[in-house]
């Protein structure tokens, strides 16, 4: 039965761990339970590939997360602190090998309640293990659950078009989610589920060492940044990002820049925001030196 931590204590602990990480200290040891309790203008031509009008939604309520003040500060299970311990992929410089180890460590995961709520399979992540650009979404939907790959439904098609508009192909980037099992009814993953699963995402990011991580939607942004601001407040700038509680296999990796934009499923519901999303992607393209692909090129 997982114990919970006071939200303020959790935030203080996360700040302290981040501080130690910045000092180069990564390995932490878990005390016995009793001891713990004391303790960036719009280019119309460029956005055309993903401006096609759409109506259906994978999830109707994803961006409404932005207003949920409890998303980040809700109680967290002890297991989130697992990520601060030494990991088997540490010292493995090949990201393919490191990702394989992380996947094996995940196994047939039953760490959170999503394992028994109708998932067909774990959706680990897909793409180039040496990608400069990584997209992180919320969790698998029905299509993703069926195919075992993130972003393969209608929202996935829009993400593909967004990637193409950036002058890249889907195979050039890496795509993952905060939770790796489909929440029933495509509901937003709950805080305890995100807290339990996200250490594996952090390890994936540390293994891939991207230059830029793009958080798609409020759930991804809040979990990656551990900030409880609205999506509107989080967009429009870069954040210096190092995956919490883990270390990279390359000590020279300075961390990634993190940008926040709308989840493609939200853009399907409200296509008027595609111009704003394109501004976010342009900021990323400028940083990575990418050129927008003209439609039908
Ligand atoms: S969502 Fe993540 S932590 Fe939960 S059962 Fe699936 S793989 Fe495990």
């Amino acid at each position: 039965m997982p114990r919970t931590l006071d939200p303020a204590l959790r935030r203080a602990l996360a700040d302290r761990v981040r501080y130690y990480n910045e000092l180069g200290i990564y390995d932490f040891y878990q005390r016995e339970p009793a001891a713990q309790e004391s303790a960036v203008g719009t280019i119309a031509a460029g956005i055309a590939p993903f401006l096609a009008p759409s109506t259906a939604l994978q999830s109707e309520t994803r961006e409404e997360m932005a207003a949920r003040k409890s998303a980040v500060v809700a109680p967290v299970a002890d297991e989130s602190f697992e990520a601060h311990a030494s990991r088997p992929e540490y010292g493995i410089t090949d990201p393919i090998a490191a990702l394989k180890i992380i996947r094996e460590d995940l196994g047939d995961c039953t760490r959170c309640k999503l394992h028994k709520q109708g998932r067909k399979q774990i959706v680990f992540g897909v793409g180039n293990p040496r990608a400069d650009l990584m997209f992180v979404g919320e969790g698998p939907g029905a299509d993703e659950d069926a195919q075992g790959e993130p972003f393969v439904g209608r929202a996935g098609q829009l993400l593909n078009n967004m990637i193409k508009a950036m002058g890249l192909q889907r195979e050039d980037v890496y795509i993952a989610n905060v939770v790796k099992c489909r929440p029933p009814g495509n509901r937003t993953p709950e805080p305890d589920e995100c807290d339990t699963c996200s250490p594996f995402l952090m390890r994936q990011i540390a293994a891939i060492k991207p230059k830029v991580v793009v958080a798609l939607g409020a759930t991804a942004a809040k979990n990656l940044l551990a900030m409880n601001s609205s999506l509107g407040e989080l967009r429009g700038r870069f954040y210096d990002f190092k995956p919490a509680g883990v270390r990279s296999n390359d000590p020279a990796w300075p961390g990634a820049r993190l940008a926040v934009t709308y989840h493609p499923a939200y853009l399907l519901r409200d296509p008027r925001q595609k111009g704003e999303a394109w501004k976010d992607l342009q900021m990323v393209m400028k940083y990575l030196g990418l050129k927008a692909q003209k439609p039908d090129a």
Side-chain angles (χ1 to χ4, degrees):
M1 185 76 178
R3 294 180 312 109
T4 59
L5 292 176
D6 177 83
L9 176 58
R10 182 200 168 207
R11 190 171 288 276
L13 283 169
D15 287 344
R16 179 52 62 110
V17 167
R18 209 168 286 123
Y19 168 72
Y20 283 132
N21 287 169
E22 286 168 1
L23 292 176
I25 301 167
Y26 294 92
D27 294 337
F28 298 86
Y29 298 92
Q30 190 168 359
R31 291 182 182 170
E32 291 303 311
Q36 279 187 6
E37 285 172 2
S38 63
V40 181
T42 300
I43 301 175
I47 60 175
F50 66 97
L51 279 178
S54 304
T55 53
L57 251 193
Q58 187 180 58
S59 166
E60 292 293 331
T61 57
R62 292 181 198 275
E63 299 313 309
E64 289 163 15
M65 256 310 265
R68 280 178 42 179
K69 296 300 180 190
S70 63
V72 169
V73 297
V76 58
D78 278 354
E79 195 161 348
S80 65
F81 286 91
E82 263 192 351
H84 306 318
S86 187
R87 291 299 184 187
E89 73 273 17
Y90 287 179
I92 306 292
T93 55
D94 176 10
I96 297 173
L99 287 172
K100 185 166 181 282
I101 289 170
I102 297 166
R103 181 64 188 88
E104 286 170 355
D105 196 13
L106 187 62
D108 187 20
C109 184
T110 58
R111 292 171 177 83
C112 85
K113 60 183 180 294
L114 287 179
H115 85 277
K116 57 184 178 185
Q117 296 190 353
R119 80 169 183 209
K120 289 192 174 69
Q121 58 189 311
I122 290 171
V123 182
F124 183 66
V126 71
N128 180 0
R130 296 183 174 85
D132 285 342
L133 176 58
M134 185 166 173
F135 289 92
V136 175
E138 179 178 299
D143 294 324
E144 290 76 16
D145 184 46
Q147 297 186 40
E149 185 172 326
F151 285 95
V152 292
R154 290 173 57 80
Q157 187 58 50
L158 179 55
L159 178 61
N160 291 347
N161 289 341
M162 293 162 71
I163 293 167
K164 194 175 174 189
M166 298 175 77
L168 295 170
Q169 299 296 321
R170 181 177 169 97
E171 297 74 27
D172 296 326
V173 306
Y174 195 90
I175 307 170
N177 285 307
V178 173
V179 297
K180 305 193 183 307
C181 299
R182 180 192 181 197
N186 290 344
R187 65 162 169 78
T188 300
E190 294 172 358
D192 63 307
E193 296 158 357
C194 294
D195 287 330
T196 304
C197 202
S198 61
F200 291 94
L201 171 65
M202 298 296 181
R203 292 167 65 185
Q204 287 173 287
I205 297 173
I208 294 166
K209 305 181 294 294
K211 291 178 179 168
V212 175
V213 174
V214 176
L216 298 168
T219 301
K222 290 180 177 186
N223 278 280
L224 288 168
L225 292 170
M227 293 171 71
N228 197 26
S229 305
S230 72
L231 191 81
E233 291 169 330
L234 293 171
R235 285 184 52 241
R237 54 161 292 195
F238 274 127
Y239 300 82
D240 291 327
F241 174 77
K242 281 196 173 179
V246 293
R247 63 183 172 193
S248 167
N249 49 31
D250 180 1
W253 181 56
R257 309 209 87 188
L258 189 145
V260 176
T261 195
Y262 295 105
H263 193 287
Y266 177 74
L267 296 175
L268 289 173
R269 183 174 67 174
D270 187 358
R272 293 169 303 173
Q273 302 304 325
K274 287 182 177 178
E276 290 299 305
W278 181 238
K279 289 180 188 172
D280 299 330
L281 299 184
Q282 283 185 296
M283 181 178 77
V284 171
M285 291 163 63
K286 185 175 179 186
Y287 181 74
L288 292 175
L290 299 172
K291 297 254 182 289
Q293 179 177 308
K294 296 248 181 344
D296 306 314

